[in-house]
Amino acid sequence: ARRADLAGLVAAVGRALAELEQPLLVTVMGEFSSGKSSFVNAFIGDEVAATGITPTTATINVVKYGHERGGRLIAPDGSARALRWDELHAALRALTPDDARAIDRVEITLPLDALAKVHIIDTPGLNSILPEHEATARAFIARADAVVWVFTAGQGGKASEKKALDAIRAEGKRVLGVLNKRDQLQPAEVDEVIAYVGSQLGERVEHIVPFSARSALAWKRAGGDDDGGWLALAGALEERFFAQARAIKR
């Protein structure tokens, strides 16, 4: 109000202040079939992201808070097709490659308290993303407050992952690694694999958590002795991302 030469910045400052109050935007990334959608389902505690989708029909899925369970298929022009919860997965699995190309992103809404403070972006594998989705994926990566990179046990630390993570780090994004499919390793092998992946990736990933999305989802649904590494992962997410949400956004 006192400095006319700063008047042009008012709108941008207003947007920045509003963004500080928005949920943390966490993008889940990795190569195709690494278990990104399974990770999202384990985080939510329900099968919200369709698994087993082929590379040619994979879509970008935005999981966010909503008063009712449901979904929307959003086209590049902004038009949307609303779906009931019981229709959503069947519709995603029935997509043809041409259908998938005509979808900019899929919004999935759930009335879960956890989603009041974080929106999760489930991206197709970087080695399989459709050209039609590249611009949307790049936009979400640019907007992301933090990135969860999902590795497959026994296959982490590849050159293609290093290249992608270099680009993400160059954007100033913090990256938490999740070594998925822990249940495919012997207990004695877990630390060895994490040490190897860590040695290959260095500072590209600030921490790596062993995890089994399948076991974690089963534990959330029915309990039991094996939480799939969920409690350790939840602690890492809270410490490194959620507790620092405003500082990360700033």
Side-chain angles (χ1 to χ4, degrees), residues 21-39:
E21 304 304 324
Q22 295 300 308
L24 202 68
L25 189 64
V26 176
T27 300
V28 181
M29 306 182 70
E31 298 204 328
F32 192 78
S33 78
S34 60
K36 298 180 302 299
S37 295
S38 296
F39 166 84

Side-chain angles (χ1 to χ4, degrees), residues 155-194:
Q155 298 184 32
K158 295 186 289 186
S160 56
E161 290 178 315
K162 292 179 185 178
K163 182 178 179 181
L165 286 166
D166 280 337
I168 292 168
R169 292 285 289 182
E171 291 275 350
K173 309 299 180 184
R174 296 177 58 178
V175 181
L176 176 69
V178 172
L179 187 73
N180 195 28
K181 304 181 184 179
R182 182 195 71 176
D183 50 307
Q184 296 181 1
L185 300 172
Q186 295 298 321
E189 296 175 320
V190 174
D191 289 341
E192 180 181 344
V193 171
I194 289 178

